[in-house]
Amino acid sequence: PERTWTSADGRPLVATLLSVKNGTGTFKRKDGKTFDIALDKLSAADQKVIEDAEKKASGGAASEEEK
């Protein structure tokens, strides 16, 4: 879903995160333009949101099944 992300220097960015690969996020703006941003350029809070979502989508479910 589209949300407001914040850059490490405090600038807002409204976009949808499409994917993450090798520390870079691919985002899509409302006008349809896609672009890549290194995740370390986002605020620490937004980096955590992405990290938690990745764990939930991949590792979290698998590790629960392994128990």
Side-chain angles (χ1 to χ4, degrees):
E2 185 175 86
R3 72 184 295 272
T4 301
W5 303 91
T6 305
S7 66
D9 62 3
R11 291 178 292 157
L13 165 69
V14 178
T16 300
L17 177 63
L18 300 176
S19 65
V20 175
K21 185 174 183 181
N22 299 325
T24 299
T26 299
F27 293 83
K28 183 176 183 180
R29 293 191 320 207
K30 195 177 281 188
D31 65 7
K33 179 178 166 97
T34 60
F35 54 94
D36 295 333
I37 295 179
L39 298 182
D40 62 3
K41 300 291 185 189
L42 295 175
S43 68
D46 283 346
Q47 289 179 47
K48 177 133 177 55
V49 167
I50 294 169
E51 180 182 314
D52 290 348
E54 285 184 306
K55 285 180 184 175
K56 187 175 183 181
S58 60
S63 55
E64 287 297 317
E65 291 174 14
E66 291 171 7
K67 290 182 178 180

